[in-house]
Amino acid sequence: MTRVVVLDSRAHRELRIQARAAAELGDDQRFVPVVVGEFPLLVVHYPVLLSKDADTGAFYCGAMLGFDPGENLFLGEDGHDAYRPLNLQRGPFYTAGSDLAIDLDNPRVGAGMGEALFDHAGAPTPYLQSIMALMRDLQPGLARTKVFLQTLLELKIVEPMTIDAVFDDGTRREVTDLYTIDKDAFRALPDTAVVELFRRGYLQLIYLLIASLKQVPVLAQRKNRRFLHGSGGGSAASLL
């Protein structure tokens, strides 16, 4: 359930937000939507792939954080040990036109422990100011990401992929409904199309998507370490 309302300095003066990374607070996500501005920060940690919205069928970009539903392999006792995608950082906040809104039913929201939203005078706290800045980056980022994906689809350089991995405990995972760059189709693009991609800043984004696939076996190693209770031993999973 959600109960999203516009944030109000009087009605919500006493609210506090648990901003820490924790599974019980919503960070238990295997695949998190991301925007193109995050790509340079994401690809050093995660595979960045495309998928389709289950309701609309529209493509979106996402960072893969685990192999099983509800699995975030970057969560530990000390929180999230890598760059945390904006869609996790924003927690219970949304935009409502030009206003900032909050989901009052989100588990992060309460009147006890956590980050205050307003000071005694009703002014935004540094924490809330950071959220406002984050949302100012996220909204235009969503629009730019949508145009980027439309361009990839128009050029027909997107292909489906399945990640199939066998782990040290003998179990197997098959992650489907993913898409990435079709490298053969990309290499076959005419020079004019490549120049246009470069001018729009999309060429670098495409190379980042391709490079991020190197993080798949690294992610598998993280899961193996979980199987070994944090001992750090074991071989990497076999990716088929």
Side-chain angles (χ1 to χ4, degrees), residues 46-47 49 64 67 161 163 212-221 239:
Y46 316 106
L49 300 153
M64 182 176 170
F67 291 87
M161 72 171 296
I163 295 176
S212 77
L213 296 179
K214 294 179 180 179
Q215 299 300 335
V216 173
V218 180
L219 191 65
Q221 289 173 348
L239 300 177

Side-chain angles (χ1 to χ4, degrees), residues 197-223:
L197 289 172
F198 171 76
R199 287 175 175 169
R200 298 176 69 179
Y202 292 170
L203 201 57
Q204 180 188 24
L205 297 175
I206 290 171
Y207 284 129
L208 288 174
L209 282 174
I210 294 171
S212 77
L213 296 179
K214 294 179 180 179
Q215 299 300 335
V216 173
V218 180
L219 191 65
Q221 289 173 348
R222 278 182 174 262
K223 190 167 182 67

Side-chain angles (χ1 to χ4, degrees), residues 44-109:
V44 296
H45 303 289
Y46 316 106
V48 181
L49 300 153
L50 280 55
S51 190
K52 288 184 179 180
D53 185 280
D55 296 323
T56 67
F59 277 92
Y60 68 97
C61 291
M64 182 176 170
L65 281 61
F67 291 87
D68 294 322
E71 178 180 66
N72 181 343
L73 293 169
F74 295 83
L75 279 179
E77 294 181 359
D78 297 325
H80 194 106
D81 68 356
Y83 169 77
R84 195 171 169 216
L86 293 178
N87 263 306
L88 294 182
Q89 293 184 46
R90 71 181 177 92
F93 296 99
Y94 297 84
T95 54
S98 60
D99 296 317
L100 187 64
I102 186 170
D103 176 13
L104 296 178
D105 286 338
N106 189 284
R108 294 185 179 278
V109 179

